């Protein structure tokens, strides 16, 4: 087996060394005119086991030579385009494998020996994943690519919400919609994507290109989504060169202008145009302004990017950490910079230590950018040495999109490459929905637009939602939504990692608790109403509906809890029962005094209601 693996490694390396990778070209059509204005180059291996691109890339990944293969594919694309005469006015779209940008120097994109004649028009396709992994490097690369005269396409838009968040930062000339958008039934996720893409295209003139158009219905949908360019089997399958019989046309790229001055590492404060008024404020006001922007970002969710600076690591207080943990959980990309801040100050939060002499060390910046909202608090320390909260800053609050984009790029240009670790549930840092939970619950894959939607829905819903992991000692909470935080009267940080029983009190019905324990032991669903108590001493009747979640082997690994405050209902029922008892007592008394009198009492008997007794108002089982 090992020998077989070694053989494959040798083979894939030979494929690369022998330049055996070739390109096929799929037409890209202007939807209005039906003219073929461009081709996307798609890699193919030599005839045999590596012919299909999936097999080719999988073998290179296993052999650790993905970067070399990626470069070979681009070289084959450019050589093929030249030899097939796909020169101006045609344009050729070439790809970069996202994983390559995860850990290879961007220089690998450009092979100095590649023949790139002046009349070869190239659009480089990148995904948002590359920007998330190595923001500083990718932004520089995009500049270099543009200097080179090539244009940029953002690929697979809609597959991940983050692509919408990064769109204004990358400023692609072409937005390529993921094929699911034209092929699947429209839902809220598609509406969100369309809203963001149309806004971006309207303000920049960028083209929208729909992929996966295979029939007339897809074409109608592509147009409805705002696409003016299309690609898919309806227009032609990939072939060795120009599509036969195609009417050629010209793709007049909009030349989307970069939003930032090139090269220099400017500071966000320096991005402020002269017309934006700069005022003075004490630190106490900046704290509140920052929190307000953070709250706005929380509402914007997955399509939002937040970048902040903290001067020094000591300013990231425990309270700030809690707020940033919420941001990391709900916002697409969050970065924090400051002197002494690590590459990943907490799971999922991207960071960087600011170099000595970097002007950003003297700044307090909070930049919030999403498809429809942009705001930045940009402040510079005036160097006071009085009480900390009275320290003054020169500051501006701006909502001008271009300035905010420039400020965000200035900070992202300093963010360190990703360590490759996702937000973990170690060290009690478990505020995010644990990786895989959503996919476990819904059967959706990570990055599915529906996953982001579900995540947001859980955050917005008014009923408490919790997830408990049975694989961890004492069945702790690994997820709580904001409604549960409100119910329990404590922030997520205090709740996560604990078994819910700490909410119970001496008055909580032990029989109901016992039924929950038995249901969990049996992996069964259950519903009970329990008296719970908050840290401040107040109590509430908590209707808990607990549903088991199984893994692919059918083993129960987690429980989802839906917790509703039914205090009003329980109290009304108790009052009703008390009233009934009182009336019954009177009736009995009257009957005692005069046996000829009967008093009809039409109040519900205990057995009619959902609750078996006043002591245990919730003995309801699903
Ligand atoms: C619970 N439990 C629970 N208990 C409670 O008093 N208030 C609550 O909100 C919840 N929520 C909750 C959610 C989920 C998903 C699970 C699995 C359980 C019940 C609690 O954690 C525990 O299972 C019961 O107290 C029975 O176990 P013990 O205490 O007898 O070990």
């Amino acid at each position: 087996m090992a020998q077989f693996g070694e053989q494959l490694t040798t083979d894939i390396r030979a494929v690369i060394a022998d330049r055996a990778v070739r390109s096929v070209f799929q037409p890209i059509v202007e939807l209005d005119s039906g003219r073929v204005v461009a081709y996307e180059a798609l890699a193919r291996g030599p005839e045999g086991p590596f012919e299909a691109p999936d097999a080719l890339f999988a073998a290179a990944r296993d052999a650790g030579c993905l970067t070399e293969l990626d470069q070979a594919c681009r070289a084959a694309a450019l050589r093929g385009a030249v030899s097939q005469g796909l020169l101006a006015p045609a344009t050729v779209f070439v790809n970069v494998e996202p994983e390559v940008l995860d850990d290879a120097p961007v220089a690998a994109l450009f092979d100095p020996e590649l023949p790139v004649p002046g009349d070869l028009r190239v659009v480089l396709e990148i995904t948002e994943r590359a920007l998330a992994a190595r923001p500083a490097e990718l932004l520089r690369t995009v500049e270099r690519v543009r200097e080179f005269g090539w244009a940029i396409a953002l690929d697979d838009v809609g597959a991940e919400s983050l692509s919408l968040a990064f769109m204004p930062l990358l400023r692609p000339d072409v937005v390529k919609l993921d094929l699911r958008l034209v092929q699947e039934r429209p839902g809220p996720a598609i509406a969100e994507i369309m809203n963001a893409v149309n806004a971006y295209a309207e303000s920049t003139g960028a083209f929208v290109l729909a992929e996966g158009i295979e029939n007339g219905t897809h074409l109608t949908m592509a147009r409805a989504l705002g696409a003016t360019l299309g690609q898919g089997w309806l227009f032609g399958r990939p072939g060795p060169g120009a599509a036969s019989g195609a009417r050629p046309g010209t793709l007049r790229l909009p030349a989307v202008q970069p939003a930032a001055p090139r090269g220099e590492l400017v500071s966000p404060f320096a991005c402020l145009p002269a017309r934006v008024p700069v005022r003075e404020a004490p630190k106490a006001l900046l704290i509140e302004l920052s929190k307000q922007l953070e709250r706005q970002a929380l509402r914007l969710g997955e399509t939002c990017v937040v970048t902040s600076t903290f001067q020094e690591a000591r300013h990231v207080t425990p309270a700030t950490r809690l707020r940033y943990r919420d941001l990391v959980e709900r916002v697409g990309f969050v970065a924090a910079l400051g002197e002494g801040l690590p590459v990943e100050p907490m799971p999922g939060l991207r960071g960087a230590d600011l170099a000595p002499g970097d002007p950003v060390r003297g700044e307090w910046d909070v930049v919030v950018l999403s498809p429809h909202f942009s705001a930045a608090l940009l402040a510079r320390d005036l160097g006071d040495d009085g009480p900390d909260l009275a320290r003054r800053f020169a500051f501006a609050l701006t909502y001008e999109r271009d300035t905010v984009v420039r400020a965000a790029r200035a900070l992202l240009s300093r963010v360190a490459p990703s360590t490759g670790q996702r937000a973990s549930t170690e060290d009690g840092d478990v505020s995010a929905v644990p990786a895989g939970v959503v996919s476990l619950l819904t059967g959706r894959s990570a990055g599915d637009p529906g996953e982001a939607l579900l995540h947001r829905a859980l955050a917005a819903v008014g009923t408490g939602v919790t997830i408990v992991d049975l694989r961890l000692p004492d069945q702790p909470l690994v997820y709580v939504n904001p409604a549960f935080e409100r119910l329990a009267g404590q922030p997520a940080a205090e709740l996560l990692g604990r078994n819910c029983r700490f909410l119970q009190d001496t008055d909580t019905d032990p029989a109901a608790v016992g039924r929950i324990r038995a249901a969990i032991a049996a992996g069964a669903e259950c519903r009970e109403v329990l008296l719970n108590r908050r840290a401040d001493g107040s109590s509430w009747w908590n209707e808990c509906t607990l549903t088991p979640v199984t893994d692919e082997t059918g083993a129960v690994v987690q429980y989802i809890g839906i917790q509703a405050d039914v205090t009003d209902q329980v109290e009304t029922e108790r009052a009703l029962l008390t009233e009934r008892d009182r009336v019954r007592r009177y009736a009995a008394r009257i009957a005692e005094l005069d046996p000829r009198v009967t008093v009809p009492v039409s109040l519900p008997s205990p057995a009619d209601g959902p609750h078996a007794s006043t002591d245990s108002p919730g003995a309801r089982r699903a």
Side-chain angles (χ1 to χ4, degrees):
M1 200 65 194
Q3 216 177 358
F4 180 62
E6 272 169 35
Q7 182 59 44
L8 276 184
T9 302
T10 320
D11 289 351
I12 186 71
R13 289 197 181 278
V15 165
I16 297 170
D18 299 348
R19 291 186 168 190
V21 178
R22 65 197 163 94
S23 260
V24 287
F25 298 90
Q26 186 173 33
I28 293 173
V29 167
E30 191 175 59
L31 296 181
D32 275 349
S33 65
R35 290 180 183 276
V36 174
V37 291
Y39 290 88
E40 179 177 354
L42 300 159
R44 297 285 184 272
E47 254 178 53
F50 299 130
E51 186 164 8
D54 288 355
L56 190 65
F57 277 88
R61 200 170 285 120
D62 290 347
C65 56
L66 197 60
T67 306
E68 291 85 336
L69 175 68
D70 182 61
Q71 205 173 34
C73 291
R74 236 174 350 271
L78 299 181
R79 267 198 311 272
V82 173
S83 69
Q84 293 294 327
L86 300 177
L87 303 169
T91 301
V92 177
F93 284 57
V94 296
N95 288 276
V96 186
E97 182 63 23
E99 275 174 67
V100 166
L101 289 173
D102 278 0
D103 51 23
V106 171
L109 273 182
F110 298 101
D111 180 349
E113 290 178 15
L114 270 184
V116 187
D119 50 355
L120 181 64
R121 303 178 60 196
V122 179
V123 177
L124 192 69
E125 294 191 17
I126 47 183
T127 66
E128 87 297 330
R129 186 176 146 180
L131 185 57
R134 306 166 82 82
E137 213 176 341
L138 197 82
L139 288 174
R140 275 200 304 278
T141 306
V142 166
E143 274 176 27
R144 288 221 322 267
V145 168
R146 288 191 187 284
E147 278 168 5
F148 214 64
W150 292 3
I152 298 290
L154 184 56
D155 200 7
D156 296 338
V157 168
E160 296 253 6
S161 314
L162 207 53
S163 60
L164 304 180
F166 282 151
M167 211 159 41
L169 293 162
L170 275 172
R171 295 182 73 80
D173 306 272
V174 181
V175 176
K176 289 190 87 173
L177 300 179
D178 187 68
L179 50 83
R180 273 183 293 182
L181 267 72
V182 295
Q183 295 184 351
E184 284 182 4
R185 222 180 115 207
I190 288 188
E192 179 177 47
I193 295 159
M194 194 179 157
N195 230 349
V197 170
N198 285 10
Y200 172 75
E202 187 178 66
S203 66
T204 57
F207 285 124
V208 179
L209 189 163
E211 290 187 284
I213 301 178
E214 292 174 8
N215 54 40
T217 313
H218 296 165
L219 176 60
T220 308
M221 181 59 105
R223 286 181 190 278
L225 291 171
T228 55
L229 300 175
Q231 185 180 349
W233 293 354
L234 184 66
F235 307 116
R237 298 195 180 222
S244 63
R247 284 187 300 135
T250 309
L251 180 64
R252 292 188 207 289
L253 287 167
V256 175
Q257 289 306 310
R262 280 188 292 109
E264 279 298 290
L265 260 191
V266 288
S267 86
F269 195 83
C271 293
L272 280 170
R275 61 180 179 279
V276 177
V278 173
R279 300 190 282 265
E280 253 179 53
K283 175 171 171 172
L285 177 61
L286 293 196
I287 292 175
E288 291 311 319
L289 291 175
S290 303
K291 287 199 217 163
Q292 168 64 18
L293 285 182
E294 291 163 12
R295 282 193 293 271
Q296 261 162 320
L298 283 177
R299 283 195 288 272
L300 293 165
E302 299 265 342
T303 58
C304 180
V305 171
V306 177
T307 46
S308 306
T309 59
F310 286 89
Q311 295 196 291
E312 296 163 39
R314 69 186 168 90
H315 291 134
V316 185
T317 61
T320 312
R321 287 181 71 84
L322 278 183
R323 295 202 315 276
Y324 271 72
R325 194 147 66 167
D326 282 350
L327 281 172
V328 166
E329 184 183 333
R330 288 178 213 165
V331 168
F333 184 92
V334 192
L337 289 82
E339 182 185 340
L341 271 177
V343 167
E344 195 168 2
M346 69 171 76
L349 177 63
R350 304 292 297 281
D353 184 7
L354 293 171
D358 188 329
V360 180
R361 276 193 175 191
E363 289 190 14
W364 176 326
D365 307 310
V366 181
V367 183
V368 177
L369 183 66
S370 79
H372 304 283
F373 179 82
S374 47
L377 166 71
L378 306 177
R380 188 166 272 174
D381 196 333
L382 290 174
D384 292 347
D385 49 10
D388 193 48
L389 283 179
R391 279 170 50 217
R392 286 169 315 135
F393 286 76
F395 85 101
L397 256 179
T398 179
Y399 309 91
E400 279 187 2
R401 195 160 181 81
D402 277 354
T403 309
V404 175
V405 168
R406 269 201 292 275
R409 287 175 62 107
L411 293 181
L412 281 176
S413 301
R414 292 164 163 89
V415 170
S418 156
T419 54
Q421 287 154 6
R422 307 307 266 169
S424 78
T425 54
E426 282 164 21
D427 305 332
D429 240 331
V430 283
S431 56
V433 174
V437 165
V438 174
S439 29
L440 204 58
L441 303 182
T442 60
R444 289 173 178 281
S445 60
D448 190 308
E451 174 173 332
L453 200 70
L454 179 66
H455 204 148
R456 274 200 301 283
L458 286 176
V461 79
T463 314
V465 180
T466 55
I467 299 177
V468 157
D469 199 321
L470 300 194
R471 293 163 297 189
L472 299 174
D474 202 29
Q475 306 175 349
L477 286 165
V478 292
Y479 173 77
V480 296
N481 74 340
F484 189 78
E485 291 176 272
R486 287 193 296 276
L487 261 185
Q490 294 184 60
E494 308 285 327
L495 299 166
L496 296 168
R498 303 171 77 178
N499 184 298
C500 281
R501 85 171 70 80
F502 79 93
L503 292 166
Q504 298 160 10
D505 201 22
T506 44
D507 298 339
T508 308
D509 178 21
V513 173
R515 284 192 294 270
I516 294 183
R517 189 168 48 245
I520 296 174
E525 192 172 12
C526 67
R527 184 185 300 173
E528 295 289 343
V529 177
L530 298 170
L531 186 67
N532 274 178
R533 199 170 292 280
R534 302 183 180 90
D536 67 4
S538 61
S539 54
W540 89 99
W541 286 103
N542 184 357
E543 185 185 65
C544 303
T545 308
L546 311 182
T547 309
V549 179
T550 49
D551 66 10
E552 59 282 353
T553 69
V556 177
V557 286
Q558 287 167 324
Y559 261 81
I560 305 177
I562 309 287
Q563 284 87 182
D565 184 346
V566 291
T567 308
D568 287 350
Q569 192 187 329
V570 170
E571 307 234 301
T572 307
E573 283 177 16
R574 289 174 74 125
L576 201 61
L577 288 168
T578 311
E579 189 61 19
R580 185 209 59 193
D581 287 347
R582 203 159 52 94
V583 172
R584 284 214 170 129
R585 271 200 314 277
Y586 288 153
R589 183 88 184 105
I590 291 167
E592 231 176 72
L593 293 174
D594 185 350
R596 289 162 307 169
V597 177
T598 47
V599 183
V601 179
S602 56
L603 286 166
S605 82
D608 296 335
H611 305 314
S613 80
T614 46
D615 293 329
S616 171
R620 271 196 276 173
R621 266 173 270 186

